[in-house]
Amino acid sequence: MGDGYANADTPQLYSAITRIFFVYSTFETYCRIIGLNPSKESQLQSLQDSQSQYKVIKRIRELDPNNALPEFLFQHLTGNNLKQMMSDFQNGQTVNVSFLARCIRHVFAHGILAANSTQLSPKRFNQISQVISDFLLNCMDQDFDNRTPQTT
């Protein structure tokens, strides 16, 4: 690309960021439809299987062992609650996967998170995006299946 601001990884990174943006926005809307407040982490436990969530968090930590993404997000989050939860994540505590998606969307929507903003490789950021998005989509699918009468 000839503008000097982009490189070959830029489209992949924006695709990964946008994926989380749209999936979390869908998750947020789904929560509201079923009567949950997506900002209340305790309410989301009914949607997020703790064992699956643990595996996702573990995978994210494997992909980003130096906490490059959480550190970047922490620096740019507003609000003490979000900062405290991100600090908890950085200190090895388990948090809701939806919280991480919410933080990524928040920082991106405010124009701070851009391609190559973090020290995380494009491949790893893409993998983290996919893991988080797949988890949230599966949560919604499973919940919807549980609410829908099964025909035989």
Side-chain angles (χ1 to χ4, degrees):
M1 303 203 170
D3 60 12
Y5 293 102
N7 64 41
D9 296 322
T10 301
Q12 179 185 13
L13 284 164
Y14 276 116
S15 177
I17 294 168
T18 304
R19 177 187 309 119
I20 288 180
F21 183 94
F22 286 135
V23 169
Y24 182 74
S25 294
T26 301
F27 180 79
E28 186 177 55
T29 300
Y30 183 80
C31 287
R32 288 189 176 118
I33 289 169
I34 63 171
L36 300 177
N37 181 338
S39 298
K40 302 280 186 193
E41 300 298 314
S42 60
Q43 289 186 16
L44 302 180
Q45 291 303 325
S46 64
L47 286 178
Q48 299 179 11
D49 175 65
S50 60
Q51 188 62 28
S52 296
Q53 187 162 257
Y54 172 79
K55 290 177 185 175
V56 170
I57 295 293
K58 181 180 176 190
R59 181 68 181 137
I60 291 168
R61 288 192 171 114
E62 289 169 357
L63 291 167
D64 186 10
N66 296 323
N67 277 329
L69 180 60
E71 181 58 35
F72 178 83
L73 294 172
F74 180 83
Q75 291 173 10
H76 299 287
L77 287 172
T78 56
N80 291 334
N81 188 35
L82 292 178
K83 283 187 161 277
Q84 181 59 53
M85 290 175 69
M86 188 57 70
S87 179
D88 291 346
F89 175 76
Q90 289 175 289
N91 291 323
Q93 296 180 31
T94 300
V95 298
N96 287 342
V97 173
S98 59
F99 159 75
L100 296 172
R102 185 170 100 199
C103 290
I104 291 168
R105 186 189 70 172
H106 174 80
V107 174
F108 176 63
H110 287 279
I112 299 164
L113 179 60
N116 302 312
S117 291
T118 71
Q119 298 299 314
L120 195 59
S121 76
K123 179 180 179 183
R124 290 193 179 224
F125 188 93
N126 188 46
Q127 290 172 318
I128 289 172
S129 170
Q130 194 66 57
V131 167
I132 291 172
S133 297
D134 287 349
F135 176 81
L136 293 177
L137 290 168
N138 286 333
C139 288
M140 290 183 285
D141 282 347
Q142 288 175 5
D143 185 72
F144 186 78
D145 285 347
N146 290 339
R147 292 171 185 275
T148 306
Q150 302 299 317
T151 59
T152 54

